[in-house]
Amino acid sequence: MRLLITGAGGFVGARVVRRALDEGHAVLAVGRTAAVPLRLAPFSTQPSFAYQSVDVATHDQLRVCAAAFSPDVIVHAAVVGILRRDPAGPHEALRMNVLGAAEVARTALEAGASVVWIGSSFEYAPSDAPIDESHPTEPESLYGLANTRAGRPGVRAH
């Protein structure tokens, strides 16, 4: 299987890359940085691995990348604004987290690829008990709101 993985240099994305390669899949890792991120450096010599710098919120970049790679699946793990030290402001967080998700969906449709969306619990209301997808979506952060807007229109933040 051919996997295009967005946000591949991040904590979760790099683990998805490693697992996919361990299982024998071809991987095109996509990230924001021009150089291969440190988390991905160990894979850079593997013939089934490639890295490309792409702004996922810019449709032409992602579309061209997908057309050249022909992925079976796009794993979308790219986000900004989750960490306090992340310099992205509200506009950039919404652009990447909402427009990026829309561009991934459009690119997948054009490429005939399936999409795996890696989300987080930031979209849901706080809870002391385990949650599932039926839990109310009541994000308390800009990151949670952006993820919610990308996946479920009409949800409000507190």
Side-chain angles (χ1 to χ4, degrees), residues 8-58:
F11 182 80
V12 174
R15 279 148 184 81
V16 173
V17 169
R18 181 180 60 226
R19 179 73 180 261
L21 291 169
D22 286 349
E23 292 181 4
H25 302 292
V27 171
L28 175 58
V30 171
R32 289 184 277 173
T33 61
V36 175
L38 286 176
R39 287 186 178 114
L40 301 179
F43 315 121
S44 61
T45 60
Q46 295 189 28
S48 57
F49 173 83
Y51 176 81
Q52 190 164 350
S53 176
V54 173
D55 178 350
V56 297
T58 302

Coordinates of all heavy atoms in Angstrom, one line a residue, residues 8-58:
A8 N 4.1 14.4 9.1 CA 4.9 13.2 9.4 C 6.0 13.5 10.3 O 6.5 12.6 11.0 CB 5.4 12.7 8.1
G9 N 6.5 14.7 10.5 CA 7.6 15.0 11.4 C 7.1 15.2 12.8 O 8.0 15.4 13.7
G10 N 5.8 15.2 13.1 CA 5.3 15.4 14.4 C 5.4 14.1 15.2 O 5.7 13.1 14.7
F11 N 5.0 14.2 16.5 CA 5.1 13.1 17.4 C 4.3 11.9 16.9 O 4.8 10.8 16.8 CB 4.6 13.6 18.8 CG 4.7 12.5 19.8 CD1 5.9 12.2 20.5 CD2 3.6 11.8 20.2 CE1 6.0 11.3 21.4 CE2 3.6 10.8 21.2 CZ 4.8 10.6 21.8
V12 N 3.0 12.1 16.6 CA 2.2 11.0 16.1 C 2.5 10.6 14.7 O 2.6 9.5 14.4 CB 0.7 11.4 16.3 CG1 -0.2 10.4 15.7 CG2 0.3 11.6 17.7
G13 N 2.7 11.6 13.8 CA 3.0 11.3 12.4 C 4.2 10.5 12.2 O 4.2 9.5 11.4
A14 N 5.3 10.8 13.0 CA 6.5 10.0 12.9 C 6.3 8.5 13.3 O 6.9 7.6 12.7 CB 7.6 10.6 13.7
R15 N 5.4 8.3 14.3 CA 5.1 6.9 14.7 C 4.3 6.2 13.7 O 4.5 5.0 13.4 CB 4.5 7.0 16.1 CG 5.5 7.1 17.1 CD 5.0 7.9 18.4 NE 6.1 8.0 19.3 CZ 7.1 9.0 19.2 NH1 7.1 9.8 18.2 NH2 8.0 9.1 20.1
V16 N 3.4 6.9 13.0 CA 2.7 6.3 11.9 C 3.6 5.9 10.7 O 3.5 4.9 10.2 CB 1.5 7.3 11.4 CG1 0.9 6.7 10.2 CG2 0.5 7.5 12.5
V17 N 4.6 6.8 10.4 CA 5.6 6.5 9.4 C 6.3 5.3 9.8 O 6.5 4.4 8.9 CB 6.5 7.7 9.2 CG1 7.7 7.3 8.3 CG2 5.8 8.9 8.6
R18 N 6.8 5.2 11.0 CA 7.6 4.0 11.4 C 6.8 2.8 11.3 O 7.3 1.8 10.8 CB 8.1 4.2 12.8 CG 9.0 3.0 13.3 CD 9.5 3.1 14.7 NE 8.4 3.2 15.6 CZ 8.4 4.1 16.6 NH1 9.4 4.9 16.8 NH2 7.4 4.2 17.4
R19 N 5.6 2.8 11.8 CA 4.7 1.6 11.7 C 4.4 1.2 10.3 O 4.5 0.0 9.9 CB 3.4 1.9 12.5 CG 2.4 0.8 12.5 CD 2.9 -0.4 13.4 NE 2.0 -1.5 13.4 CZ 1.1 -1.7 14.3 NH1 1.0 -0.8 15.4 NH2 0.3 -2.7 14.3
A20 N 4.1 2.2 9.4 CA 3.9 1.9 8.0 C 5.1 1.2 7.3 O 4.9 0.2 6.6 CB 3.4 3.1 7.3
L21 N 6.3 1.8 7.6 CA 7.5 1.2 7.0 C 7.7 -0.2 7.5 O 8.1 -1.1 6.8 CB 8.7 2.1 7.2 CG 8.6 3.5 6.5 CD1 9.7 4.4 7.0 CD2 8.7 3.2 5.0
D22 N 7.6 -0.4 8.8 CA 7.7 -1.7 9.4 C 6.8 -2.7 8.8 O 7.2 -3.9 8.7 CB 7.5 -1.6 10.9 CG 8.6 -1.0 11.7 OD1 9.7 -0.7 11.1 OD2 8.4 -0.7 12.9
E23 N 5.6 -2.3 8.4 CA 4.7 -3.2 7.8 C 4.9 -3.4 6.3 O 4.1 -4.0 5.6 CB 3.3 -2.8 8.1 CG 2.9 -2.9 9.6 CD 1.5 -2.5 9.9 OE1 0.7 -2.2 9.0 OE2 1.2 -2.5 11.1
G24 N 5.9 -2.7 5.7 CA 6.2 -2.9 4.3 C 5.5 -2.0 3.3 O 5.6 -2.2 2.1
H25 N 4.9 -0.9 3.8 CA 4.3 0.1 3.0 C 5.2 1.1 2.4 O 6.2 1.4 3.0 CB 3.1 0.8 3.7 CG 2.1 -0.2 4.3 ND1 1.3 -0.9 3.5 CD2 1.8 -0.5 5.6 CE1 0.5 -1.6 4.3 NE2 0.8 -1.4 5.6
A26 N 4.9 1.6 1.2 CA 5.6 2.8 0.7 C 5.1 4.0 1.3 O 3.9 4.2 1.4 CB 5.5 2.8 -0.8
V27 N 6.0 4.9 1.8 CA 5.5 6.1 2.5 C 6.1 7.4 1.8 O 7.3 7.5 1.6 CB 6.0 6.1 4.0 CG1 5.7 7.4 4.7 CG2 5.3 4.9 4.7
L28 N 5.2 8.3 1.6 CA 5.6 9.7 1.3 C 5.3 10.5 2.5 O 4.1 10.7 2.8 CB 4.9 10.2 0.0 CG 5.2 11.7 -0.3 CD1 6.7 12.0 -0.4 CD2 4.5 12.2 -1.5
A29 N 6.3 10.9 3.2 CA 6.1 11.8 4.4 C 6.0 13.2 4.0 O 6.9 13.7 3.3 CB 7.2 11.5 5.4
V30 N 5.0 13.9 4.5 CA 4.9 15.3 4.2 C 5.0 16.2 5.4 O 4.4 15.8 6.4 CB 3.5 15.6 3.5 CG1 3.2 17.0 3.3 CG2 3.5 14.9 2.1
G31 N 5.7 17.2 5.4 CA 5.9 18.1 6.5 C 6.1 19.6 6.1 O 6.3 19.9 4.9
R32 N 6.2 20.4 7.1 CA 6.3 21.9 6.9 C 7.7 22.3 6.6 O 8.0 23.3 6.0 CB 5.8 22.7 8.1 CG 4.3 22.6 8.2 CD 3.8 23.5 9.3 NE 3.9 22.8 10.6 CZ 3.7 23.3 11.7 NH1 3.4 24.6 11.9 NH2 3.8 22.6 12.8
T33 N 8.7 21.5 7.2 CA 10.1 22.0 7.1 C 10.7 21.5 5.8 O 10.4 20.5 5.2 CB 10.9 21.4 8.2 OG1 10.9 20.0 8.2 CG2 10.4 21.9 9.6
A34 N 11.7 22.3 5.3 CA 12.4 21.9 4.0 C 13.2 20.7 4.2 O 13.3 19.8 3.3 CB 13.2 23.1 3.5
A35 N 13.9 20.6 5.3 CA 14.8 19.4 5.6 C 14.0 18.3 6.3 O 13.0 18.6 6.9 CB 15.9 19.9 6.5
V36 N 14.4 17.1 6.1 CA 13.8 16.0 6.8 C 13.9 16.2 8.3 O 15.0 16.4 8.8 CB 14.5 14.6 6.4 CG1 13.9 13.5 7.2 CG2 14.4 14.4 4.9
P37 N 12.7 16.2 9.0 CA 12.8 16.4 10.4 C 13.6 15.3 11.1 O 13.7 14.1 10.6 CB 11.3 16.3 10.8 CG 10.5 16.6 9.6 CD 11.4 16.0 8.4
L38 N 14.1 15.6 12.3 CA 15.0 14.7 13.0 C 14.3 13.4 13.3 O 14.9 12.3 13.3 CB 15.4 15.3 14.3 CG 16.5 16.4 14.2 CD1 16.8 17.0 15.6 CD2 17.8 15.8 13.6
R39 N 13.0 13.4 13.6 CA 12.2 12.2 13.9 C 12.2 11.2 12.7 O 12.0 10.0 12.9 CB 10.8 12.5 14.4 CG 10.7 13.1 15.7 CD 9.2 13.2 16.1 NE 9.1 13.7 17.4 CZ 8.5 14.9 17.7 NH1 8.1 15.7 16.8 NH2 8.5 15.3 19.0
L40 N 12.3 11.8 11.5 CA 12.3 10.9 10.3 C 13.6 10.6 9.8 O 13.7 9.7 8.8 CB 11.4 11.7 9.3 CG 10.0 12.0 9.6 CD1 9.3 12.8 8.5 CD2 9.2 10.8 10.0
A41 N 14.7 11.2 10.3 CA 16.0 10.9 9.7 C 16.4 9.4 9.7 O 17.0 9.0 8.7 CB 17.0 11.7 10.5
P42 N 16.0 8.6 10.7 CA 16.4 7.2 10.6 C 15.8 6.5 9.4 O 16.3 5.4 9.0 CB 15.9 6.6 11.9 CG 15.7 7.8 12.8 CD 15.4 9.0 12.0
F43 N 14.8 7.0 8.8 CA 14.1 6.3 7.7 C 14.6 6.8 6.3 O 14.2 6.2 5.3 CB 12.6 6.5 7.8 CG 12.0 6.3 9.1 CD1 11.3 7.4 9.8 CD2 12.2 5.1 9.8 CE1 10.8 7.2 11.0 CE2 11.6 4.9 11.1 CZ 11.0 6.0 11.7
S44 N 15.4 7.9 6.3 CA 15.7 8.6 5.1 C 16.5 7.7 4.1 O 16.5 8.0 2.9 CB 16.5 9.9 5.3 OG 17.6 9.6 6.0
T45 N 17.1 6.6 4.6 CA 17.9 5.8 3.7 C 17.0 4.6 3.1 O 17.5 3.8 2.3 CB 19.1 5.2 4.3 OG1 18.7 4.5 5.5 CG2 20.1 6.3 4.7
Q46 N 15.8 4.4 3.6 CA 15.0 3.3 3.2 C 14.4 3.6 1.8 O 13.9 4.7 1.6 CB 13.9 3.0 4.2 CG 14.4 2.6 5.5 CD 13.3 2.1 6.5 OE1 12.2 1.7 6.0 NE2 13.5 2.2 7.8
P47 N 14.5 2.7 0.9 CA 14.0 2.9 -0.5 C 12.4 3.1 -0.5 O 12.0 3.8 -1.5 CB 14.4 1.6 -1.2 CG 14.7 0.6 -0.2 CD 15.1 1.3 1.1
S48 N 11.7 2.7 0.5 CA 10.2 2.8 0.5 C 9.8 4.1 1.2 O 8.6 4.3 1.4 CB 9.6 1.6 1.1 OG 10.0 1.4 2.4
F49 N 10.8 5.0 1.5 CA 10.5 6.2 2.2 C 10.9 7.4 1.4 O 12.0 7.4 0.8 CB 11.2 6.3 3.5 CG 11.1 7.6 4.3 CD1 10.0 7.9 5.0 CD2 12.1 8.6 4.1 CE1 9.9 9.1 5.7 CE2 12.0 9.8 4.8 CZ 10.9 10.1 5.6
A50 N 10.1 8.4 1.3 CA 10.4 9.7 0.7 C 9.8 10.8 1.6 O 8.8 10.6 2.2 CB 9.9 9.8 -0.7
Y51 N 10.5 12.0 1.6 CA 10.0 13.2 2.3 C 9.8 14.3 1.4 O 10.7 14.5 0.5 CB 11.0 13.5 3.4 CG 10.5 14.8 4.2 CD1 9.5 14.7 5.2 CD2 11.0 16.0 3.8 CE1 9.1 15.9 5.8 CE2 10.6 17.2 4.5 CZ 9.7 17.1 5.5 OH 9.2 18.2 6.1
Q52 N 8.8 15.1 1.6 CA 8.6 16.3 0.8 C 8.0 17.4 1.7 O 7.1 17.2 2.5 CB 7.7 16.0 -0.4 CG 7.6 17.2 -1.4 CD 7.0 16.7 -2.7 OE1 6.8 15.5 -3.0 NE2 6.8 17.7 -3.6
S53 N 8.5 18.6 1.5 CA 8.0 19.8 2.2 C 6.7 20.3 1.4 O 6.8 20.6 0.3 CB 9.0 20.9 2.3 OG 8.5 22.0 2.9
V54 N 5.6 20.3 2.1 CA 4.3 20.7 1.5 C 3.5 21.5 2.5 O 3.4 21.1 3.7 CB 3.5 19.5 1.0 CG1 2.1 19.9 0.5 CG2 4.3 18.7 -0.1
D55 N 2.9 22.6 2.1 CA 1.9 23.3 2.9 C 0.6 22.6 2.6 O 0.0 22.8 1.5 CB 1.9 24.8 2.5 CG 0.9 25.6 3.2 OD1 0.0 25.0 3.9 OD2 0.9 26.8 3.1
V56 N 0.0 21.8 3.5 CA -1.2 21.1 3.2 C -2.4 21.9 2.9 O -3.4 21.5 2.3 CB -1.5 20.0 4.3 CG1 -0.4 19.0 4.4 CG2 -1.8 20.6 5.6
A57 N -2.4 23.2 3.4 CA -3.5 24.1 3.2 C -3.4 24.7 1.8 O -4.4 25.4 1.4 CB -3.5 25.2 4.2
T58 N -2.4 24.5 1.0 CA -2.3 25.0 -0.3 C -2.6 23.9 -1.3 O -1.8 22.9 -1.4 CB -0.9 25.6 -0.6 OG1 -0.6 26.6 0.4 CG2 -0.7 26.1 -2.0

